[in-house]
Amino acid sequence: MGLRRRSHHAKITYYEDLSPGTGALAPRAAFRSDARTLSLNGDWDFRLFPTAAHAEAAEQAGGDGWEKLPVPSHWALHGHDAPQYTNIRYPFPVDPPRVPTENPTGDHRLVFDLPDDWPGPDEGADGRTLLRFDGVESCYRVRLNGRELGTAKGSRLPHEFDTGPHLRRRGNVLSVRVHQWSSGSYVEDQDMWWLAGIFRGVTLLHRPEAAVEDVFVHAGYDHRTGHGTLRVDADPGGRVTVPELGLTLATGETVTIPGVQPWSAEVPRLYEAQLATDGERVPLRLGFRTVAVEKGLITVNGRPLLLRGVNRHEFHPDHGRAVPYATMREDVALMKRHNINAVRTSHYPPDPAFLDLCDEFGLWVIDEADLETHGFTYDDWRGNPADDPAWEEALLDRAARMVERDKNHPSVIMWSLGNESGTGRNLAAMSRWIRDRDPDRLIHYEGDWSCEHTDVYSRMYASHEEVEAIGRRAEKPLDDPRLDARRRALPFIQCEYAHAMGNGPGGLTEYQRLFETYERLQGGFVWEWIDHGLRARDTAGRPYFAYGGDFGEPLHDGNFCADGLLFPDRTPSPGLLEYKKVVEPVGICVDAAARTVRVTNKYDVVDLAGLAFGWSREVEGRRVAEGALEVPPLAPGESAEVALPEAGSVTEDDGDGEEWWTVRAVLAADTAWAPAGHEVAWGQARARGPAATRTPGARITPVRAPSADGGALTGAITLGPGTFDPLDGSLRTLHGLHVAVPPRLNVWRATTDNDRGPDDAKSLAAQWRHHALDRMRHRCDGVTVDGESLEVRTRVAPPGGFFGLSVVYRWTGEQIGDGTRLDLSVDITPDGEWPCPLPRLGVALGIRAPLDWIEWYGGGPGESYPDTRRAARIGRWATTVDAFQTPYVFPQENGSRGDVRWAELRGPDGGGLRVEGRPAFALTARRWTTGQLEAARHPADLVPGEVLHLDLDAAHHGIGTASCGPGVLAPYELRATRTRFGVGFTLPN
């Protein structure tokens, strides 16, 4: 199918034509050398025009109006125009390859001198000088001293231009005109902020005579013999030396090297080498490894992989995709510290320095082409560039520039053709070109489920049920028997799953269980690494992270860009901590009753010699004994049962409370990404239950006041440390604290991104609102007082509903030592036919008091919900009320601590309140109401009040990953059912 809707009379500009550009040299590997380079990064002159025509007119007129702009950068993040975010939809009319006349165009200008010792150009020295751009969005034209060097498209790809005779010793004027929109924009629709500019480095490269034009390292490993093979192809030829191996060979020569240590993500062994030609010296880092599909499995060096991955966009809250090197290094170290072993470079090749770090630190990489045409899905993929022969050259250029640049990175084990671009002939052509150029890596593309042109079967957001069927090789068959047989024999990965948007994702444990059960399922990549929130301030000067719509964009996709495991400032979210726990490479199963622990090595390559194990015994969250644990250096896949000791170094009296055993695996020595002692994995089990914490109390008589009719209650009812309203039985004061919101049943939570889903109108949150669960009404059916208790009977139901909950609150008072205790038991009975799950089930109350410190014994230290609780361990924790919150970019239900046995809330004066659960409860504490949380659009909207709002929950609906993917799994759905629970209120210990 050809181009659509294009006027035959329209003039096609260079930024609209389908060529990948003009004048750029053939792509080649990225490498350093001893040849001279000059970074041109720094402050450039800049001016922005609303259209390309305005820029051309200003150039002809010789106008001024220049300002300073740093390079690399995006101009929209420096006060010129504004960012805009869309997920799928193009932010301009779809009329390929044409773009709007309203096309922001930025002229960049740099005046520079060459260093005095720069070779040439005026002395006629040998060689030439190239001008390299590593990333410019989306189309640009380059001029040097008034002479055009060329144009280029492919925003996340390198382009080099020969400066020819135009370079001077002094007073060089480099002019770069950048257009925000171009034909290239149609194939760069990658769920991200549209941010134009020169966002990666600009460099002058001297290329002496006989310099290396290109180099391709082929370093394989035979796991059966332990031998490595090495061949280095180079143009022109030269000599390669590997000092550590005592090796010298000619380029193009293949040698076998006994006893080589292979490269893997777990042991990223690199050998320093050098390529020497008559013109320059090029350092190389060799990683010996062989990638293959063997017996239906992805293997590296003969070992199957289990990918514990993330999708990584390049993002920084201040710089956009102009990510500093220190931040890239921080990203890689954070991944390694959180048990992540793989990265998919969604959805374009990253800055090459990031791949250097993956080589060095050890991460498996799927390197993805700069290609996505997702917006064409709205027109049933008609005119899709992936299937239009007119686009073939442009798409092949994108594949070639990725492969040629990154082919020497051992961390790259797969080439991905792109993302969400439908299917078509151009994708097939890209696959053929890559396979011919580099047959030693695998080819990935999720969009073609037939897998005709790929080496792996890849899917996004497949449900647990479907993934299990795929694991059994029992998926729904394809219509073509040949393709079905081929696909069924391929390994499977989820290139995107577990959408990490807001609170969540849930369901990670169940996915990982499937990955570890079925060998065909070789893991996946959580979407995604980081929230794309841009740092901003509101009109009151309060900081927040902006998302789609915050810059006044007429078309945007809201906070769908805030879907990462890191917050924009790179603070790990609860989701990242949960993922770390779920994908632990060491299984630790503690059996406290048998006093044993079963340890399983889940690494792909290494044994457990690099880890140290320790045990501890805690009573009521206080460590009473600890010691080292001897665990054999198990090989991958091996398990051992190890006895726990009878005693250790006692730190204090045991006491008679609840006892837990915890076993931890930590790094035994420093690594490049974490110090010795860094925790890799842990397990925990309860040894004995809680001791009795209540003592029978003295009879506490409510205060009764006579009334006119001699029967009705008047005045306040006093029961232990509480006073109650006699009309409806609501609590007024508690241990001298003013109860601003009396305790009563609550079923509502501020909806999460996963509750709202991708289509709020069809979501679970919409069901809840439709059935008015956010507007429950409370009817008092009676208040009964006897000598030691107060009973309040109520019905809680939504307006317009034919269903509800009958609730009986029973208050009792007890003498506890020298103090008193107020107990509340809640008995809930559903009536009618409930049409949907409940968001939560518990008691909410508000205390008007300056309580700002929380200590609790239960799950922690971070938040947890029914299907996101693996990372929460039982212990004694403490923090401020403010730190109890999780500051999601878009405010929503957050901060719940599950399995809480007791919690103490204190103020500056030491006074406060202790809450004990019967059984354990989930605790949320906030300085704003659930309604205020639901209404907020940024954390800065939440202004603390004088009331501390507490939720003491018996149960919560799960979280799931329905913002993109499956909803809450059945075991975590909260259905209306007969429920009894209780809490007790005392003063803090």
Side-chain angles (χ1 to χ4, degrees):
M1 181 180 294
L3 302 178
R4 341 173 262 168
R5 298 188 296 271
R6 195 177 91 189
S7 168
H8 292 290
H9 304 289
K11 179 182 178 183
I12 299 296
T13 63
Y14 69 86
Y15 51 85
E16 290 176 312
D17 68 32
L18 292 182
S19 77
T22 58
L25 301 175
R28 63 191 183 103
F31 56 83
R32 301 182 306 277
S33 82
D34 62 354
R36 291 296 305 273
T37 65
L38 176 66
S39 172
L40 299 183
N41 297 345
D43 285 339
W44 288 40
D45 296 327
F46 176 79
R47 57 186 183 184
L48 181 66
F49 301 96
T51 72
H54 283 85
E56 188 66 29
E59 181 180 13
Q60 296 298 323
D64 200 355
W66 297 95
E67 303 178 38
K68 291 297 182 182
L69 180 75
V71 169
S73 74
H74 302 283
W75 66 63
L77 300 184
H78 291 268
H80 305 280
D81 208 355
Q84 48 192 316
Y85 165 69
T86 62
N87 171 25
I88 300 174
R89 296 174 294 180
Y90 292 104
F92 47 79
V94 181
D95 183 22
R98 304 302 304 280
V99 297
T101 299
E102 299 160 324
N103 185 4
T105 299
D107 276 354
H108 302 68
R109 184 181 68 185
L110 178 69
V111 179
F112 67 95
D113 298 332
L114 293 176
D116 291 340
D117 57 349
W118 188 269
D122 44 354
E123 293 88 353
D126 61 8
R128 55 182 179 158
T129 296
L130 307 184
L131 176 62
R132 179 182 179 92
F133 294 85
D134 279 304
V136 183
E137 184 174 336
S138 71
C139 173
Y140 59 108
R141 185 197 69 194
V142 183
R143 288 179 175 171
L144 179 64
N145 298 321
R147 302 298 182 92
E148 183 166 317
L149 301 185
T151 64
K153 307 184 189 82
S155 298
R156 268 66 64 177
L157 298 165
H159 297 88
E160 292 179 338
F161 301 92
D162 191 337
T163 61
H166 312 306
L167 189 65
R168 305 169 184 163
R169 176 68 59 187
R170 296 283 184 269
N172 289 286
V173 180
L174 176 59
S175 303
V176 183
R177 175 163 294 165
V178 181
H179 306 277
Q180 173 145 17
W181 310 126
S182 70
S183 59
S185 302
Y186 285 100
V187 294
E188 295 178 2
D189 185 29
Q190 290 135 321
D191 182 13
M192 60 188 179
W193 293 97
W194 297 90
L195 291 168
I198 305 173
F199 67 94
R200 289 183 187 159
V202 183
T203 313
L204 277 181
L205 308 170
H206 180 249
R207 312 304 298 138
E209 293 291 341
V212 176
E213 295 296 326
D214 196 12
V215 58
F216 196 168
V217 174
H218 305 269
Y221 180 77
D222 188 335
H223 64 282
R224 294 160 297 189
T225 64
H227 295 171
T229 58
L230 178 63
R231 186 181 84 248
V232 178
D233 296 330
D235 177 21
R239 305 292 292 176
V240 177
T241 55
V242 190
E244 191 174 352
L245 297 175
L247 186 66
T248 300
L249 69 156
T251 55
E253 176 187 354
T254 300
V255 295
T256 300
I257 313 158
V260 163
Q261 294 175 283
W263 187 97
S264 71
E266 293 168 9
V267 185
R269 182 66 162 93
L270 294 171
Y271 290 88
E272 301 295 329
Q274 185 182 83
L275 165 63
T277 69
D278 291 340
E280 67 179 330
R281 305 291 183 268
V282 175
L284 302 172
R285 297 199 299 183
L286 311 181
F288 292 88
R289 54 106 186 99
T290 296
V291 185
V293 171
E294 299 175 315
K295 298 180 181 179
L297 300 178
I298 302 166
T299 64
V300 176
N301 304 329
R303 292 183 177 271
L305 303 185
L306 185 57
L307 302 172
R308 304 169 172 92
V310 291
N311 287 275
R312 176 187 177 269
H313 265 296
E314 294 186 302
F315 184 78
H316 189 282
D318 300 309
H319 309 302
R321 285 184 286 282
V323 180
Y325 177 79
T327 303
M328 296 182 216
R329 192 176 184 89
E330 178 187 359
D331 276 351
V332 173
L334 276 170
M335 290 175 189
K336 297 287 288 188
R337 291 199 292 268
H338 289 87
N339 295 329
I340 290 163
N341 71 357
V343 177
R344 176 177 173 232
T345 68
S346 52
H347 297 294
Y348 42 81
D351 188 300
F354 179 79
L355 297 180
D356 289 337
L357 292 166
C358 293
D359 295 342
E360 176 186 341
F361 283 67
L363 288 169
W364 309 114
V365 175
I366 298 180
D367 199 357
E368 194 150 82
D370 192 5
L371 172 61
E372 181 168 332
T373 66
H374 204 176
F376 283 87
T377 188
Y378 287 110
D379 199 21
D380 198 28
W381 295 106
R382 286 183 293 182
N384 181 18
D387 196 36
D388 186 336
W391 292 82
E392 180 177 352
E393 181 189 7
L395 270 56
L396 283 174
D397 182 74
R398 288 168 183 263
R401 290 187 181 280
M402 170 183 69
V403 171
E404 298 294 2
R405 192 196 73 171
D406 298 339
K407 62 197 173 200
N408 295 324
H409 290 283
S411 57
V412 176
I413 60 172
M414 291 190 220
W415 302 116
S416 179
L417 304 180
N419 184 67
E420 292 176 323
S421 296
T423 59
R425 69 192 75 188
N426 295 334
L427 292 165
M430 292 169 71
S431 176
R432 287 192 299 270
W433 187 94
I434 294 174
R435 201 177 299 282
D436 181 66
R437 179 59 172 149
D438 182 23
D440 296 330
R441 287 182 174 92
L442 307 183
I443 295 178
H444 168 273
Y445 178 67
E446 185 274 341
D448 183 3
W449 294 0
S450 76
C451 302
E452 184 173 7
H453 306 290
T454 67
D455 298 307
V456 296
Y457 179 23
S458 177
R459 290 287 301 283
M460 295 181 183
Y461 308 107
S463 69
H464 298 80
E465 294 79 9
E466 185 180 4
V467 169
E468 182 171 20
I470 294 169
R472 292 186 285 107
R473 300 188 190 270
E475 67 267 27
K476 181 180 178 180
L478 296 170
D479 293 335
D480 185 325
R482 179 186 63 83
L483 289 176
D484 183 68
R486 168 181 163 75
R487 190 183 75 176
R488 209 171 293 276
L490 293 179
F492 175 82
I493 64 171
Q494 283 253 62
C495 69
E496 292 181 23
Y497 81 111
H499 196 247
M501 186 175 182
N503 188 334
L508 285 170
T509 297
E510 289 71 22
Y511 274 124
Q512 192 66 21
R513 188 175 298 132
L514 293 171
F515 296 159
E516 294 178 2
T517 299
Y518 299 98
E519 66 174 8
R520 185 190 189 190
L521 308 179
Q522 296 195 255
F525 298 79
V526 167
W527 185 268
E528 66 174 303
W529 176 235
I530 188 169
D531 287 342
H532 299 198
L534 291 168
R535 206 184 307 271
R537 290 185 178 273
D538 63 16
T539 54
R542 296 172 299 192
Y544 69 97
F545 291 111
Y547 48 76
D550 284 337
F551 298 97
E553 310 102 295
L555 180 70
H556 64 84
D557 285 299
N559 67 309
F560 204 71
C561 58
D563 51 8
L565 293 168
L566 293 180
F567 294 126
D569 62 1
R570 282 179 163 72
T571 300
S573 76
L576 180 56
L577 302 180
E578 180 79 356
Y579 192 44
K580 176 187 177 182
K581 174 62 181 169
V582 167
V583 301
E584 285 175 339
V586 182
I588 299 176
C589 183
V590 182
D591 186 335
R595 199 66 66 86
T596 61
V597 56
R598 185 169 184 80
V599 179
T600 302
N601 182 352
K602 298 183 180 182
Y603 284 108
D604 297 322
V605 175
V606 299
D607 62 24
L608 300 187
L611 299 179
F613 290 80
W615 63 270
S616 62
R617 187 161 61 90
E618 298 97 24
V619 175
E620 290 292 307
R622 296 192 185 280
R623 186 171 297 177
V624 297
E626 62 183 348
L629 188 68
E630 293 299 322
V631 175
L634 303 170
E638 290 185 343
S639 296
E641 195 168 274
V642 180
L644 290 169
E646 293 295 325
S649 55
V650 177
T651 57
E652 59 177 84
D653 292 339
D654 282 15
D656 60 355
E658 187 178 41
E659 178 184 299
W660 285 75
W661 285 77
T662 302
V663 174
R664 302 169 65 238
V666 303
L667 292 179
D670 291 347
T671 68
W673 45 270
H678 166 78
E679 184 177 272
V680 173
W682 61 272
Q684 195 177 49
R686 183 165 59 184
R688 68 171 185 242
T693 57
R694 302 177 59 195
T695 57
R699 182 184 179 90
I700 301 173
T701 306
V703 175
R704 298 169 181 262
S707 63
D709 61 10
L713 297 171
T714 61
I717 301 170
T718 301
L719 185 63
T723 62
F724 297 81
D725 188 307
L727 299 179
D728 61 8
S730 60
L731 185 66
R732 289 177 172 177
T733 65
L734 179 60
H735 286 290
L737 301 173
H738 175 56
V739 180
V741 181
R744 64 180 186 176
L745 192 74
N746 180 36
V747 302
W748 183 247
R749 72 184 185 196
T751 54
T752 67
D753 287 313
N754 287 307
D755 293 336
R756 293 185 292 271
D759 184 351
D760 194 17
K762 299 178 181 177
S763 67
L764 181 60
Q767 290 185 53
W768 289 342
R769 293 192 190 95
H770 173 74
H771 294 296
L773 299 194
D774 56 339
R775 290 157 280 163
M776 300 292 278
R777 297 293 181 259
H778 300 253
R779 184 185 73 210
C780 180
D781 288 337
V783 179
T784 303
V785 180
D786 62 23
E788 60 182 11
S789 69
L790 167 68
E791 184 176 279
V792 182
R793 298 177 306 282
T794 69
R795 185 173 188 270
V796 182
F802 294 89
F803 53 90
L805 300 167
S806 296
V807 186
V808 177
Y809 306 97
R810 183 175 176 82
W811 296 91
T812 57
E814 290 183 323
Q815 187 72 36
I816 305 294
D818 296 331
T820 56
R821 168 198 191 100
L822 187 64
D823 280 336
L824 169 64
S825 65
V826 184
D827 192 333
I828 304 163
T829 305
D831 64 68
E833 199 168 315
W834 276 78
C836 61
L838 296 169
R840 75 188 325 147
L841 189 66
V843 168
L845 70 154
I847 306 293
R848 191 181 300 277
L851 305 176
D852 58 4
W853 183 256
I854 304 177
E855 183 177 357
W856 73 99
Y857 173 50
E863 74 178 24
S864 61
Y865 290 83
D867 54 348
T868 63
R869 61 188 298 179
R870 287 285 301 279
R873 69 186 84 188
I874 300 300
R876 188 182 294 238
W877 315 102
T879 189
T880 64
V881 169
D882 290 340
F884 213 66
Q885 319 310 309
T886 304
Y888 292 112
V889 170
F890 190 101
Q892 55 198 276
E893 165 63 35
N894 73 88
S896 179
R897 267 58 171 188
D899 301 311
V900 173
R901 280 70 166 158
W902 56 258
E904 293 185 350
L905 301 104
R906 290 188 176 88
D909 60 359
L913 184 68
R914 178 182 172 98
V915 184
E916 298 177 356
R918 297 190 316 277
F921 62 98
L923 171 67
T924 305
R926 304 187 181 102
R927 299 191 186 280
W928 37 78
T929 68
T930 297
Q932 289 169 327
L933 182 59
E934 175 77 6
R937 292 296 173 264
H938 299 96
D941 299 336
L942 294 165
V943 180
E946 297 179 355
V947 175
L948 180 63
H949 296 273
L950 304 176
D951 281 290
L952 315 175
D953 292 315
H956 246 284
H957 189 66
I959 297 299
T961 181
S963 56
C964 192
V968 173
L969 297 175
Y972 308 113
E973 291 182 337
L974 178 57
R975 296 290 175 176
T977 187
R978 180 73 183 272
T979 305
R980 295 188 181 96
F981 69 97
V983 290
F985 301 94
T986 63
L987 290 173
N989 291 333

